[in-house]
Structure formats: C-alpha cells, structure tokens
C-alpha cells in the first residue's frame, strides 16, 4: 500500500471539512518498533460542510481496531486513510494503531533520533501517527498520555499528571494536528523562567541528551527570553502557557518546528558555544529561536486554512524575525544579508523551472513548497505592505489581525482585508504579489532639464512555468537624490509604481542629481539601470543609504567580473580605489566593510552572465574570481596587515554584533592576505584561535589557497567527538576543493566512518558543500552531477523530503552549455527512472525536467 499515485491538489478545490473535532485524547505506549497509539476523538458534523464524507488521513499505520460510540466498526482502509459511513451527529471515534518509530527514517511522524523519540508533523506527518483529519483547518484541544520507560516524557501544553513511566499533558489551545509534538528520552534541561508583562511566570527549558551538549544551551536560552520580550514590546503579543520547552534533536529535516509549547529544533539551530559555533551560527540560532517563538502567534494562535496559505504564517514570521535581528544587531547589515539571501536563493528559484507564486495554486507534495519564495519573498511582500501603508497603520492592521482572527485558520484574503479595513486602500493589485511568480525587472531611465529630474520606470516580469503573461505589480520604490558634492537634495521618498511604465518628476533642483534607487531594497526586483561606473563609484563613496552604498560596490564588482569574463578586462584602479576607501574608512561599521569586501559569488556571476545573454562557463568564472581576489589583495597589500591588527577583539569572546563584525572583517582580510603570504597569517590564526569563528576563518583561508592539510587533520583530531563541528569539517573540504577534485572529495568523505546517510545534517554537509562549489559541481567531467544523482537515488527511499530538497541543486541547468545540459539531463532522468521513487522527489524531478 505504498506510494499512492501522485495527485495534484488545487487551491480552487478547497472545501471545508465535513466534520470538526472538539477534543482529542491520545495514549502512546512507546516501543521502538511497536508503538501503540490509542485515540479517542470527539467529532461533530461541520455546519458549513459541503460534503458529509467521513475521511481520516492515515499512512503507514497498522490498523488494530476502531469504534464509534463504543461499538466496533470495520472502516474502509486505503493507502491514504480511512473512510466510514459515520453518523450525521456528534460521536466519539476511537482507534488503535501500531507504528514503528525506529524504522521511520523519513523523520516525519514519530521517529527515533539517537535513542530519543520525537515527532515532526508539519505539514502532513500526523497521519503517520494515527487516523485523523490531518488538515490545518481542523483545530482541537489535545490531551496526551505517554507511557514509556524513559525519564523525560513531553508533549504540548501543560503537564497534568505524571508517575513512574508515564506522563499526561493537556494543551488548552485548539490546534491543528501539524502542531502536535511528543518527545521521550533521557534528557537534561537548562531551566530558566520569564515573567510576561501581565505577570504570568513561564518556565523555560532547553533539553538535550546528556554527554556533551549541556554547555551549548545558554545562548539559546538568552535568545528565547529576548524574543519573548521583543514580541511583547513590538507586537504586544504575550506567551500563553506556563511552560515553554525546546528540545534539540540530531536528526531533523529542517531548522526547527514551532509545535505549541514544545518547539523541536535541529541541534544545529539551537546549540552553540564560542568554541564550537561561529558568529554566523550564533546569529542564525538567535533568529531561528525567535522565528519559532514568534510562530506562537503567527502560525499557532492564527493558523492557515490550508497549505496554500503557508506564506500567511511563514512570510509574516520571517518578516518578524528579520525585524527582531535588525533590532538586536544592525538594521543595515541585516538588510544587506537578507537581500543577498533573497537574490541567491529566491531569484534563482524564480529564474528556473521551479518558479512558483508566494501562494502557489497547485501542488503535489506540500513539503516541496517550504521554499525561499514562500518564506523569503513572502517576507518581502509584508515589508512592502508596511512601507506602503506606513508604520502606524501597519501596527493597527496587525492588532486588528490578531483581534479578528485569533483562533482561526485564516487565508491571505483575511490578511489583506485587515489592511484594507484599516487604511481604506484597495489592495487587489497588490495581491498579485501573492499569485504572480517571477522576479520583476525594473528598468530605469532618467532625464534632466531646467531643474527638473525625471525618472522613467518600466516594470516587466518574465514568464515562469505555467504563467506566460504577467501584469504590473504595485512597487514601492524608495528613492533619494544626491547633488554633485554627495549631499542629499531629496531625502528618501517612496514612489508607488502601479503601471507597466511610469514617470516620476522632481522639480526645483539646482543641477543634475545622482539618483539612489530602490533604497533599503524596497521591493524584491532586479534593477536595470545603465549607470556609469563613475556614478556607481560616487554612490559607493557617498550614498547615505547603507544598502545602496553596498549595492553600488556590488554592482561595480559584478560588472567588472562580467567584463573580465567576456572582454578579458583587467580590474581598473577606480574600482580598486573605491574598495580601498571603504576598507580604510574607520567610521564605517566593520561588519559593513566586510560585506563590501565580499565579492558576488560565482553563482551570482553565472546568473548575471546568463541574464545578459551569455552561456556561463563555471571554470572560466572560477578563474576570473580568483584573479580578481588576487588583484584586490595586491592593491590592498599595504593596508591589509593594519586592518587585520585593528580588528583584534580584546577580552573574552562574545557573539555580539560589534565583535562579530570585527571578526568578519578580520577573516575577510585574512583570506586576501593568504593570497600574498602563502597562508602564514592564517596558520597563525588557526593555531591561536580560541573560538570557532577564527578557527574556521583561518582554515577556510588556507583551503582557499589549497593549503591547510595539517590544519584539517588537527581540526578533526580536536573535534571528532562533536557532530555539529564535524559537519563544518565535512562541508568545508568539499565546498573549497579545487574544481577538478570536488566530486572526488565528496565521494571520499562518503566512505569516512563518520558519514551517515540517515543524518540530514551530515548528508547536507557533504552534498550541500558540493552544490555550493559551483565550479566543482559543474565540472565538465560531469562527475559532480553523477555523484549527486547516485546519492539522491540512495537517499530517496530513506528520506524523501531531504532528497527532494537537495535535488534543487540542478535547478540552474538550463543556463549551461549543451554538453553540461545533456549530462544533467542524463542524471535527472536516471533519478526519474528509479523504481519506487517517492512522490516528493518525483514531483521535483518532473518540474526540473520541465
Ligand atoms: N514551520 C517550520 C518549518 C518546518 C517545516 C516542515 C518541517 O518538516 C517537514 C519542519 C519544519 C518553520 O518555519 O520553522
Ligand atoms: Zn516558520
């Protein structure tokens, strides 16, 4: 009864559930291969239903028996679930099933990770636990009894009773099944508490398995308390239970999960110590803890009507965690980081065969839609809405949203309606952001005469799969004008573009200004603006908007890299001097300077070349990037040691933004310095580092110049016992291997005794490392493609979700030459032709092949 035939599900086919659930009682009798799940569910007919069919989802369950109102029944069982001709009146349904957590390698439903029982139910994993209407618009109050020979037994909500070998939990807040969670194991907690502003004392715990991770919990706890305080201050949202548990698990498909009162985290997304985690890890952990905590209101109290509305909770929650990180650290740096992520992942998605709207209108497997488009572009859409309505009305709209929809399973229409009701705006055109896929191109032309400057703007969104024609979107375009001295003559103004072509005028100027367009990245678009390099250099030196200042440098670098590829250009001193000026400017935040120093990635250059009508050759791109880095290093030769010394951080390590910024610039300088000194300074930093940021930064600098053999061995000897650190060791070697050795390096690591195909973090370390090594993955031999295909075919029967996510490595294939395309097609067809391929992977490979 495996692999039911794939079925496409359409947003337009939504119908309300036939039955609603008032309460659920679950009893788990835990056993590694034979867990019994006994359910008692109070159903009643839904007055709004359009169908009366009683259907419960269920997958991979061993049916023991079922009853309705105490009388045994014989339901129709299929691979998808259970059907029965149920009463058209309230009734109690009971069922008993058996499941096998220890053989569940999909990491969905109830499974085991290093001796610990844990669950992952979003999106449709609850149906692997018991028969249930596994859809988010069925919300119910859960009571759970766990019986098992393990010291810690956790579920959602509050503990009600416990004894030797059992515990009972009750969650007073109605929730959809995807927020159900259970954890059982030998666990130890770091405990603390937080008192909400209305005086509720909340017990906080971060649970880990004993034996090494205990010292890595403190940072997460501080992040949790900061998140709780921030949501009260900024959104007026308080926590609503007496207990908040976080559990770290080693085997997890994603970052973390917002189960009500019992968040489950990939260990890598919560555990950190200065010796084992980098500054970037600390920042990411703080953001993920905030994200999952913020879901308590945006996701849990107000959930999604159906999975097409995923961006309702995810876009908003990402937006909230981005605001939080900006408040905790630096808004300018955060905005640049977010834009880089969006461009690298979401623009890439939009440009390829996997493009889809923020709210898709069909899917086969919802797990395949936890994407950069739903998450990151979803957050951008909210940022634009906030910019258009202003901060005050945004706050009012959010208050109305929480008031009006608390306890609801809501839709994007509900979300937009609160903004319409608060502002009186008509948001129908704006709503296209949710339904239209693709990245708009914004072409800018300018003219100036008699003191009036005009911006002629044109927007165009290229076709995407299934959407050939596009309509104009509402684009908030933040613009500022600078005079020839770099003074701002028109401060940031938000233009609201609604037509395909539109002109905006600025009168009363005393000379032709330089325009700074799309400040703070005010809309997720690609700007096409034929500025001269002198104008870009001017903005790099003078723009008062930090985002555009950085972006001017970025565009200069991208333009130069393209000219180096296409015209054999050599780096001009104008560019190099501009970079040097930023680097030496002590008034600028080191974190910002580090970002300016960072070149576009090879992936960025490949996409930029393709956009400009060329066929990118990853090997040439790799050469050119290395050449430019060397030029930069040589040009900055005299400055590098001084800046490196200036970036020394005194005192004990803290992961705060300020010292982290210094270390980021220090490491960026070290990477350049290594090109000149053969790795001398990097070897020194490696030997003396007392934190992972500097240890790893040094190792990276060495591997980049094909050195660091001894350091790699020393690193493994030092950290062999630490899974999370060893993931870095696996990833780094593959991602920085010379192009012709990347696949061989990955393959060699798959036979390392610590490689474990069943652990997603380790699998991603090796094959995610291969994927980001653009020249290596796309080496003309095709070895990278073949190796990844081999391993995806091996992984699919064990873990379809991670397989389907990793296959996206191939999504840029149409940009390459015919020979590479042919090799990728062969690899993809080999995957597609594998017998018993999962629905997840099958959907992805089908979309990739187009
Ligand atoms: N809602 C979680 C993401 C998540 C989604 C699916 C998962 O398993 C298939 C796990 C986590 C979040 O946004 O953090
Ligand atoms: Zn989320």
């Amino acid at each position: 009864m495996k692999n039911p035939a794939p079925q496409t599900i359409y947003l337009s086919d939504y119908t309300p559930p036939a039955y609603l659930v008032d309460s659920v009682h679950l009893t788990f009798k835990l056993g590694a291969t034979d867990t019994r799940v006994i359910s008692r569910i109070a159903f009643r007919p839904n007055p709004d239903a359009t169908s009366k069919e009683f259907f419960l989802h269920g997958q991979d369950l061993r049916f023991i028996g079922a009853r309705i109102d105490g009388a045994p029944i014989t339901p129709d069982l299929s691979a998808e679930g259970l059907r029965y001709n149920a009463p058209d009146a309230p009734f109690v349904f009971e069922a008993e099933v058996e499941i096998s957590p220890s053989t569940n390698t999909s990491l969905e439903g109830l499974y085991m990770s290093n001796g610990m029982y844990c669950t992952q139910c979003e999106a449709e994993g609850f149906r692997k636990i018991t028969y249930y209407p596994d859809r988010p618009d069925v919300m119910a109050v859960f009571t759970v009894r766990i019986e098992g020979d393990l010291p810690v037994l956790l579920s959602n909500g509050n503990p009600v009773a416990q004894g030797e070998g059992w515990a009972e939990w009750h969650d007073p807040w109605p929730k959809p099944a995807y927020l159900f969670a259970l954890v059982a194991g030998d666990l130890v907690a770091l405990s603390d508490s937080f008192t909400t502003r209305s005086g509720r004392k909340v017990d906080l715990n971060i649970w880990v398995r004993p034996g090494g991770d205990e010292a890595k919990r403190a940072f997460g706890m501080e992040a949790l308390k900061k998140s709780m305080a921030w949501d009260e201050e900024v959104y007026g949202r308080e926590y609503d239970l007496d207990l908040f548990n976080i559990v770290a698990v080693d085997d997890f498909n994603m970052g973390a999960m917002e189960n009500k009162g019992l968040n489950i985290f990939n260990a890598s997304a919560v555990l950190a110590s200065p010796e084992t985690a980098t500054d970037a890890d600390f920042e990411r952990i703080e953001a993920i803890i905030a994200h999952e905590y913020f879901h308590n209101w945006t996701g849990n109290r107000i959930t999604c009507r159906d999975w097409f509305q995923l961006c309702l909770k995810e876009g908003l929650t990402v937006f909230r965690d981005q605001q939080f990180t900006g408040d905790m650290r630096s808004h300018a740096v955060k905005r640049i980081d977010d834009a880089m992520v969006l461009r690298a992942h979401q623009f890439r998605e939009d440009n390829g065969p996997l493009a889809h709207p923020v709210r898709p209108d069909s899917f086969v497997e919802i797990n395949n839609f936890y994407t950069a488009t739903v998450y990151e572009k979803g957050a951008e859409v909210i940022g634009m809405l906030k910019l258009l309505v202003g901060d005050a009305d945004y706050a009012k709209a959010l208050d109305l949203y929480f008031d009006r929809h608390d306890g609801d399973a809501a839709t994007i229409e509900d979300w937009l309606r609160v903004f319409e009701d608060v502002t009186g705006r008509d948001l129908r055109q704006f709503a296209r952001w949710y339904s239209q896929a693709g990245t708009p191109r914004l072409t800018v032309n300018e003219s100036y005469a008699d003191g009036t400057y005009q911006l002629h703007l044109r927007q165009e969104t290229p076709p995407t799969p299934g959407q050939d024609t596009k309509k104009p979107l509402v684009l908030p375009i933040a613009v500022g004008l600078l005079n020839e001295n770099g003074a701002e003559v028109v401060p940031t103004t938000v233009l609201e573009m609604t037509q395909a072509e539109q002109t905006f005028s600025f009168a009363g100027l005393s000379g032709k200004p330089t325009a700074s367009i799309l400040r703070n990245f005010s809309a997720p678009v690609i700007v096409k603006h034929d500025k001269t390099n002198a104008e870009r250099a001017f903005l790099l030196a003078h723009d008062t908007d930090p985002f555009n200042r950085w972006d001017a440098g970025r565009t200069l670098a991208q333009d130069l890299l393209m000219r180096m590829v296409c015209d054999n250009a050599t780096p001009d001193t104008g560019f190099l001097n501009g970079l040097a000026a930023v680097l030496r400017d002590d008034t600028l935040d080191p974190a910002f300077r580090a970002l300016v120093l960072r070149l576009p990635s090879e992936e960025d250059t490949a996409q930029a070349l393709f956009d400009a009508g060329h066929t990118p050759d990853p090997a040439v791109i790799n050469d050119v990037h290395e050449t430019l880095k060397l030029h930069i290093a040589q040009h900055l030769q005299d400055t590098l040691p001084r800046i490196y010394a200036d970036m020394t951080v005194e005192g004990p390590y803290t992961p705060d933004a300020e010292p982290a910024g210094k270390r980021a610039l220090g490491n960026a300088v070290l990477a350049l310095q290594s090109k000149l000194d053969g790795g001398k300074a990097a070897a020194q930093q490696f030997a003396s580092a007392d934190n992972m940021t500097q240890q790893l930064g040094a190792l990276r600098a060495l591997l980049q110049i094909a050195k660091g053999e001894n350091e790699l061995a020393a690193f493994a000897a030092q950290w062999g016992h630490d899974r999370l650190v060893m993931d870095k060791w696996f990833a780094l070697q593959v991602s920085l291997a010379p192009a012709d050795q990347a696949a061989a390096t990955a393959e060699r690591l798959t036979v390392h005794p610590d490689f474990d195909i069943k652990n997603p973090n380790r699998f991603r370390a090796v094959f995610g490392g291969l994927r980001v090594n653009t020249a290596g993955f796309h080496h003309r031999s095709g070895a990278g493609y073949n190796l990844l295909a081999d391993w995806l075919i091996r992984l699919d029967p064990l873990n379809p979700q991670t397989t389907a996510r990793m296959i996206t490595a191939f999504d840029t294939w149409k940009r390459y030459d015919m020979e590479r395309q042919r090799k990728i097609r062969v690899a993809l067809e080999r995957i597609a032709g594998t017998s018993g391929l999962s629905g997840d992977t099958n959907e992805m490979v089908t979309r990739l092949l187009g």
Side-chain angles (χ1 to χ4, degrees):
M1 292 214 294
K2 267 190 137 179
N3 297 327
Q7 238 192 322
T8 303
I9 304 178
Y10 297 90
L11 168 59
S12 53
D13 286 349
Y14 173 82
T15 54
Y19 289 84
L20 300 176
V21 175
D22 288 321
S23 67
V24 186
H25 285 78
L26 299 173
T27 299
F28 289 83
K29 299 178 190 259
L30 296 177
T33 57
D34 53 357
T35 290
R36 285 286 168 114
V37 186
I38 300 152
S39 58
R40 195 169 79 243
I41 308 170
F43 283 101
R44 72 185 146 89
N46 179 3
D48 299 330
T50 50
S51 136
K52 295 202 180 302
E53 185 184 63
F54 181 68
F55 173 73
L56 304 180
H57 297 98
Q59 211 182 307
D60 304 336
L61 305 173
R62 199 161 81 74
F63 179 79
I64 310 285
R67 287 183 294 199
I68 283 186
D69 288 334
I73 59 165
T74 310
D76 291 340
L77 301 178
S78 71
E80 286 96 44
L82 170 161
R83 270 187 180 78
Y84 190 69
N85 191 2
D88 190 12
F91 61 88
V92 172
F93 170 89
E94 292 168 282
E96 180 161 352
V97 301
E98 190 176 274
I99 53 180
S100 171
S102 69
T103 53
N104 178 2
T105 56
S106 70
L107 314 185
E108 199 187 32
L110 178 66
Y111 65 94
M112 295 195 78
S113 172
N114 287 327
M116 180 198 311
Y117 290 86
C118 56
T119 53
Q120 173 53 44
C121 293
E122 189 177 5
E124 299 181 331
F126 192 75
R127 62 190 64 182
K128 292 183 158 189
I129 293 176
T130 194
Y131 289 105
Y132 198 75
D134 189 7
R135 43 186 289 169
D137 55 354
V138 174
M139 298 172 83
V141 171
F142 281 64
T143 306
V144 175
R145 180 183 167 89
I146 311 170
E147 298 175 12
D149 185 19
L150 286 160
V152 177
L153 306 170
L154 307 174
S155 190
N156 314 86
N158 298 312
V160 268
Q162 56 199 296
E164 186 68 21
W166 64 274
E168 280 178 13
W169 292 80
H170 178 73
D171 181 0
W173 298 101
K175 65 167 176 290
Y178 83 86
L179 291 172
F180 168 81
L182 177 155
V183 169
D186 179 9
L187 303 171
V188 287
L190 171 68
S191 301
D192 204 327
S193 71
F194 178 86
T195 303
T196 68
R197 65 177 179 185
S198 67
R200 180 201 286 271
K201 181 168 171 281
V202 183
D203 290 325
L204 312 174
N205 298 299
I206 299 184
W207 299 91
V208 297
R209 289 187 299 115
D213 289 339
E214 290 89 336
K216 295 185 184 178
R217 298 170 295 185
F219 177 78
M221 185 61 84
E222 292 313 305
L224 175 59
K225 290 187 285 180
K226 283 187 203 167
S227 306
M228 296 177 86
W230 186 91
D231 215 16
E232 291 186 356
E233 274 161 37
V234 180
Y235 280 83
R237 298 293 117 200
E238 264 185 53
Y239 189 61
D240 54 6
L241 289 166
D242 302 329
L243 177 61
F244 190 86
N245 280 315
I246 287 178
V247 182
V249 240
D250 298 326
D251 302 285
F252 202 73
N253 280 332
M254 311 277 270
M257 181 60 212
E258 70 262 23
N259 316 298
K260 184 78 186 191
L262 178 52
N263 285 192
I264 296 182
F265 273 64
N266 187 322
S268 76
V270 53
L271 302 180
S273 68
E275 299 74 29
T276 61
T278 63
D279 292 327
D281 294 331
F282 279 101
E283 183 175 331
R284 174 172 169 266
I285 286 168
E286 187 175 77
I288 297 181
I289 287 184
H291 180 99
E292 305 311 332
Y293 175 74
F294 296 159
H295 267 315
N296 191 56
W297 273 94
T298 51
N300 301 4
R301 289 285 287 258
I302 305 179
T303 194
C304 302
R305 186 193 69 174
D306 54 72
W307 290 116
F308 295 101
Q309 321 295 329
L310 183 57
C311 62
L312 178 76
K313 72 177 178 84
E314 294 305 346
L316 179 53
T317 306
V318 170
F319 182 71
R320 277 150 51 70
D321 83 55
Q322 291 174 344
Q323 287 182 299
F324 168 80
T325 300
D327 284 353
M328 295 299 121
R329 292 161 182 267
S330 148
H331 284 283
V333 169
K334 178 62 177 161
R335 191 66 190 131
I336 294 169
D337 282 339
D338 289 340
M340 275 197 290
V341 167
L342 190 83
R343 286 171 173 171
H345 302 289
Q346 201 280 321
F347 284 13
R348 167 179 171 145
E349 203 160 74
D350 259 350
N351 270 323
L354 302 179
H356 57 275
V358 171
R359 179 170 71 175
D361 33 37
S362 72
F363 60 74
V364 175
E365 177 47 72
I366 184 57
N367 286 334
N368 289 333
F369 286 84
Y370 287 76
T371 60
T373 298
V374 170
Y375 275 64
E376 272 75 32
K377 188 175 177 183
E380 291 299 318
V381 172
I382 290 168
M384 287 189 286
L385 199 50
K386 179 161 178 282
L387 191 58
L388 289 168
V389 304
D391 293 354
D393 277 356
Y394 175 79
K396 278 191 213 153
L398 267 284
D399 285 344
L400 180 58
Y401 178 63
F402 292 123
D403 277 356
R404 187 183 281 177
H405 293 294
D406 188 10
D408 285 356
T411 62
I412 289 300
E413 283 72 19
D414 294 329
W415 163 254
L416 288 174
R417 175 99 61 244
V418 299
F419 282 84
E420 291 187 324
D421 289 352
V422 161
T423 63
R425 271 176 178 257
D426 177 345
L427 290 172
R428 276 174 299 181
Q429 187 185 359
F430 184 83
R432 286 179 194 159
W433 277 109
Y434 287 101
S435 56
Q436 188 166 287
T439 306
R441 311 306 202 249
L442 179 69
T443 308
V444 179
N445 283 294
E446 36 190 352
S447 59
Y448 175 79
D450 305 329
T452 297
Y453 172 78
Q454 290 199 312
L455 267 179
H456 311 285
L457 304 178
R458 184 159 55 82
Q459 59 161 308
E460 193 177 13
T461 303
T464 52
Q467 283 187 347
D468 293 338
T469 57
K470 307 281 182 177
K471 294 183 176 153
L473 296 163
V474 181
L475 304 182
I477 301 168
V479 175
L481 301 181
L482 307 175
N483 72 12
E484 72 269 20
N485 304 320
E488 202 162 71
V489 288
V490 173
T492 304
T493 306
V494 180
L495 311 175
E496 201 174 318
M497 184 179 188
T498 55
Q499 313 290 313
E501 291 193 45
Q502 226 167 322
T503 294
F504 297 90
S505 299
F506 301 85
L509 301 171
S510 56
K512 181 175 189 291
T514 299
S516 166
I517 291 165
L518 207 72
R519 283 187 156 182
N520 204 37
F521 199 52
S522 63
V525 304
I526 294 173
V527 177
K528 303 202 158 191
H529 187 181
D530 281 331
K531 274 199 287 261
T532 64
N533 280 345
E535 283 172 310
R536 291 188 180 127
F538 176 84
L539 288 173
L540 174 60
H542 298 292
D543 203 328
T544 51
D545 180 68
F547 179 85
N548 268 5
R549 195 167 178 188
W550 165 80
D551 207 35
R554 187 83 167 178
T555 321
L556 275 173
Q558 191 66 80
D559 178 69
L560 172 59
L561 285 161
M562 285 172 66
R563 283 185 291 113
M564 288 172 75
V565 170
C566 299
D567 314 329
N568 266 322
T570 46
D572 49 291
T573 45
F575 170 75
L576 296 168
N577 287 337
L579 217 54
V582 172
L583 183 61
R584 291 194 195 106
D585 186 345
D586 296 332
T587 66
L588 292 172
D589 178 1
F592 177 82
R593 287 190 271 162
L595 287 170
V596 173
L597 211 55
R598 197 194 305 179
L599 292 178
S601 67
E602 293 174 31
E603 193 55 39
D604 291 332
T605 302
Q607 184 62 43
L609 285 164
F610 181 68
D611 279 347
H614 304 281
T615 301
D617 182 338
V620 174
I621 294 173
N622 182 237
D623 272 356
V624 159
H625 276 246
E626 289 307 314
T627 306
L628 180 55
K629 284 184 207 158
L630 184 61
H631 273 278
I632 293 172
Q634 284 163 344
H635 189 81
L636 298 174
Q637 194 153 18
D638 300 335
T639 317
L640 294 177
R642 175 179 74 74
I643 308 275
Y644 183 72
D646 284 353
M647 294 305 122
T648 310
V649 179
E650 303 296 343
Y653 174 95
T654 72
D656 300 341
E658 204 220 294
K662 285 185 152 188
R663 283 185 291 267
L665 185 53
N667 277 342
V669 165
L670 187 69
L672 292 172
Q673 180 70 25
S674 304
K675 309 227 173 259
L676 306 174
D677 73 1
K680 200 162 146 258
Q684 267 165 19
Q685 177 172 310
F686 183 88
S688 64
D690 66 354
N691 62 77
M692 184 48 66
T693 307
Q694 290 180 313
Q695 193 177 16
L696 206 69
L699 186 55
R700 180 186 300 270
L702 289 167
L703 293 176
Q704 265 163 2
I705 55 166
K707 298 232 166 125
E709 193 104 339
N710 295 336
E711 283 79 3
L712 259 184
F715 191 96
Q718 184 183 356
W719 294 116
H721 62 282
D722 188 305
R723 302 173 317 279
L724 296 177
V725 180
M726 285 306 280
D727 285 334
K728 300 178 190 304
W729 182 84
F730 275 87
L732 207 60
Q733 299 176 64
V734 187
S735 63
L736 295 178
D740 60 347
Q741 290 161 44
T745 305
E747 189 162 24
R748 176 168 56 73
L749 289 175
T750 61
V751 295
H752 189 285
D754 291 334
F755 181 77
D756 175 6
I757 188 173
K758 289 188 186 157
N759 178 259
N761 288 1
R762 192 54 53 86
F763 190 91
R764 277 190 290 257
V766 173
F767 291 100
L770 179 60
R771 164 194 188 141
V772 300
N773 186 333
T774 307
F777 181 54
H778 292 285
H779 188 265
R780 64 162 41 84
S781 64
Y785 309 146
N786 291 337
L787 186 73
L788 182 61
D790 289 346
W791 281 89
L792 291 179
I793 288 168
R794 243 173 265 189
L795 182 64
D796 186 62
L798 300 169
N799 186 335
Q801 252 184 58
T802 292
T803 310
R805 292 186 81 75
M806 298 294 290
I807 202 174
T808 60
F810 290 111
D811 72 346
T812 55
W813 69 295
K814 292 283 180 176
R815 57 155 100 116
Y816 294 105
D817 54 85
M818 284 305 145
E819 196 44 33
R820 284 190 171 89
Q821 284 200 33
R822 192 186 61 75
K823 290 184 167 131
I824 295 177
R825 175 178 288 282
V826 168
L828 286 174
E829 281 172 350
R830 193 152 61 85
I831 297 170
T834 303
S835 72
L837 197 67
S838 69
D840 300 55
T841 305
N842 188 55
E843 178 186 21
M844 294 300 280
V845 79
T846 307
R847 287 164 67 202
L848 285 164
L849 284 166

